[in-house]
Amino acid sequence: VANSFIEMGTAPDRLLMAPLGVDPLMFRPDPAVVEARCRRIESGAPLRVAYVGTISLRKGMHDFLEICRRLPKERFTISLTGPLNADCTGVAREIASHATLHPAVPQARLPRTYADADLFVFPTVEDGHPMVISQALESALPVLCTTNCSGPDIITPDVTGWVLPARRPDLFVDRLLWC
């Protein structure tokens, strides 16, 4: 197998280093980033919650809005990064009163987006394998997502994150308050 990769011009070790399609060399944060994150969290600063992906109804934006409404602003800062789908314009407008919305960024800038966060939230209603979950995990972020994606297959509960039922923003709020 290794010889066939070499013949194709691809180093086999490089392919093996991309778990679930994410390049660790691109997303793994510098230890200083993780140390700064830990110091910030231990200081009691507001927890930085991030979402990356299409801002659409199928990605759970109705639930994300409810999560935003229920979290105390003095304890959480929330940002969403991604393209706005037409089905979500009104909901996104409401989310913007509780969180910061950023347009989609090039893949090369995503590691900085993850580095600025303390926790990744993905309340999808239906999805396959959202690459952003793998990117967040590789960026040393705990992930809070629903059962309606690949989260149950790749998240180790209470170690790398938590998987909750879809359409239960109350459970997301409870877990975020616990965090």
Side-chain angles (χ1 to χ4, degrees):
V1 173
N3 287 338
S4 63
F5 287 129
I6 292 169
E7 289 171 14
M8 294 179 349
T10 307
D13 60 333
R14 184 77 168 136
L15 290 175
L16 296 175
M17 292 175 49
L20 300 169
V22 174
D23 182 355
L25 298 176
M26 180 177 183
F27 287 95
R28 186 164 298 140
D30 185 274
V33 169
V34 176
E35 289 169 14
R37 181 184 297 149
C38 291
R39 280 193 307 275
R40 186 175 58 250
I41 292 168
E42 290 171 351
S43 76
L47 191 65
R48 296 177 183 178
V49 175
Y51 167 90
V52 175
T54 302
I55 299 169
S56 72
L57 297 181
R58 71 179 275 258
K59 300 292 184 173
M61 288 303 122
H62 276 296
D63 296 331
F64 208 108
L65 173 58
E66 189 59 30
I67 293 165
C68 289
R69 285 176 175 155
R70 292 183 185 188
L71 291 176
K73 289 185 180 187
E74 65 277 359
R75 293 180 54 199
F76 295 89
T77 59
I78 304 168
S79 68
L80 294 84
T81 302
L84 176 60
N85 200 13
D87 72 353
C88 201
T89 305
V91 174
R93 212 175 4 261
E94 289 185 60
I95 290 172
S97 66
H98 303 279
T100 304
L101 274 65
H102 302 280
V105 298
Q107 189 83 359
R109 286 190 24 216
L110 281 178
R112 181 78 248 155
T113 300
Y114 293 115
D116 289 340
D118 300 323
L119 186 89
F120 185 76
V121 174
F122 198 76
T124 190
V125 174
E126 61 95 14
D127 220 315
H129 173 66
M131 196 63 60
V132 293
I133 290 179
S134 295
Q135 292 170 350
L137 289 170
E138 194 59 48
S139 298
L141 286 175
V143 171
L144 181 55
C145 69
T146 70
T147 55
N148 292 10
C149 65
S150 62
D153 299 320
I154 62 175
I155 292 172
T156 303
D158 297 323
V159 176
T160 59
W162 305 272
V163 179
L164 300 172
R167 306 307 324 260
R168 291 297 308 272
D170 58 316
L171 297 179
F172 276 76
V173 170
D174 289 346
R175 178 53 57 178
L176 287 164
L177 291 171
W178 177 89
C179 289

